[in-house]
Amino acid sequence: MTNASMLVRAENVQKSFGSNVVLDGMDFTLEAGKVACLLGPSGSGKTTFLRCLNQLETISGGAIWIDDELIGFRPSRGELVPLPERAVVRQRSKIGMVFQQFNLFSHMTVLENVVEAPIHVHRVPRAKAEKLGLEMLERVGLADKRDNYPRQLSGGQQQRVAIARALTNKPTLMLFDEPTSALDPELVGEVLSVMRSLANDGVSMVVVTHEMSFARDVSDVAVFMDQGKVVEQGDPKEILVNPQTHRLKQFLSRFEAA
């Protein structure tokens, strides 16, 4: 694929926290409308890479382009200079992110949570924001909960509200950081069902997950990471069934044993 066909392009991305190297030359690409699942053991750099895509962490080296725009930096005299915070916020507004924890405002209703950013950050008129917010709640199956408070919802419902909130900003890219890890097992399916629906609708997504069946059945590419690097990547139906590296075989054996 040419660079122009890629929604996300990361080249030699590095991230260190002091002497701790978390990303060590990460390369990654994603076509628009595709789903990538990032797999790997804890501490392999998956979440850090996701946070770098959304500029919640600033990379230490390399470069990332999203929708053909260099993020976080601008070229100047042969070097990359950090963008001012205002420009970073503008770039970040094009990306939706769903975290492990739901991060809903407990004192706001479901609809108020969903329209908070469009109204107060993007200055969308309230009537327009609420109309869009209700459409997104309908999309995740929770329009009837618009006047409920988060404490009145199950964990799965709260996570679906968080997805609706991210979608309301009409993002170019959706990022999911282990969105089912904080849920009871019986609630996992309802969140994954919404994500499957988004994938079927052509929403571009990067998903950090340990849900192997979701990665195999829904993603277009599986990326196995270890020690801050990509060890193996490709068609999930191939590499998750017939891994080529010892490290991925070792990782998958734990799930088979479970």
Side-chain angles (χ1 to χ4, degrees):
M1 294 295 171
T2 63
N3 289 339
S5 70
M6 293 298 171
L7 175 65
V8 182
R9 180 162 54 98
E11 294 183 357
N12 194 31
V13 172
Q14 301 162 49
K15 177 62 183 178
S16 298
F17 296 96
S19 60
N20 181 26
V21 178
V22 180
L23 296 175
D24 189 14
M26 174 84 177
D27 292 321
F28 175 84
T29 57
L30 180 70
E31 291 181 72
K34 301 296 185 181
V35 178
C37 281
L38 304 184
L39 313 172
S42 298
S44 60
K46 306 181 303 295
T47 291
T48 297
F49 180 63
L50 214 65
R51 291 174 64 85
C52 288
L53 290 177
N54 203 30
Q55 300 189 70
L56 296 175
E57 301 289 352
T58 301
I59 61 176
S60 307
I64 299 172
W65 292 262
I66 295 180
D67 204 14
D68 255 355
E69 182 178 14
L70 180 66
I71 66 166
F73 298 87
R74 63 177 177 84
S76 177
R77 298 179 181 179
E79 296 183 353
L80 294 181
V81 178
L83 290 176
E85 182 61 23
R86 187 172 184 177
V88 170
V89 170
R90 177 190 62 79
Q91 292 183 333
R92 188 183 293 135
S93 69
K94 299 179 181 180
I95 303 171
M97 188 157 182
V98 178
F99 300 87
Q100 295 179 25
Q101 302 299 327
F102 323 123
N103 297 332
L104 300 178
F105 294 109
S106 61
H107 64 289
M108 292 183 177
T109 66
V110 163
L111 183 58
E112 287 170 342
N113 266 280
V114 169
V115 302
E116 172 71 8
I119 292 174
H120 297 290
V121 177
H122 302 295
R123 306 301 179 187
V124 176
R126 179 173 292 275
K128 183 177 180 180
E130 290 187 349
K131 181 176 183 295
L132 180 59
L134 283 171
E135 289 175 2
M136 295 304 104
L137 285 172
E138 182 71 36
R139 190 171 187 179
V140 301
L142 289 174
D144 62 327
K145 302 294 185 182
R146 56 172 292 176
D147 296 323
N148 287 63
Y149 288 88
R151 65 179 178 275
Q152 298 172 306
L153 306 180
S154 69
Q157 289 172 328
Q158 291 186 58
Q159 191 62 294
R160 286 152 62 195
V161 172
I163 293 172
R165 177 179 59 186
L167 291 171
T168 302
N169 291 320
K170 296 184 176 180
T172 302
L173 174 69
M174 285 286 290
L175 307 177
F176 293 84
D177 184 15
E178 297 194 40
T180 61
S181 65
L183 301 178
D184 292 333
E186 64 268 23
L187 301 178
V188 169
E190 65 186 69
V191 173
L192 293 182
S193 177
V194 169
M195 294 171 65
R196 287 172 187 266
S197 174
L198 296 179
N200 290 336
D201 289 344
V203 176
S204 305
M205 298 191 289
V206 182
V207 183
V208 172
T209 185
H210 288 292
E211 300 289 341
M212 291 297 117
S213 61
F214 178 86
R216 184 185 63 247
D217 299 338
V218 179
S219 67
D220 298 287
V221 59
V223 180
F224 175 65
M225 296 177 61
D226 192 30
Q227 297 183 344
K229 294 181 179 181
V230 174
V231 176
E232 192 169 343
Q233 64 180 316
D235 184 332
K237 293 178 178 62
E238 293 180 5
I239 74 167
L240 297 181
V241 174
N242 186 29
Q244 299 301 301
T245 60
H246 172 72
R247 188 65 188 89
L248 180 53
K249 291 177 183 177
Q250 186 181 46
F251 176 75
L252 292 175
S253 69
R254 299 176 184 175
F255 292 91
E256 292 169 0

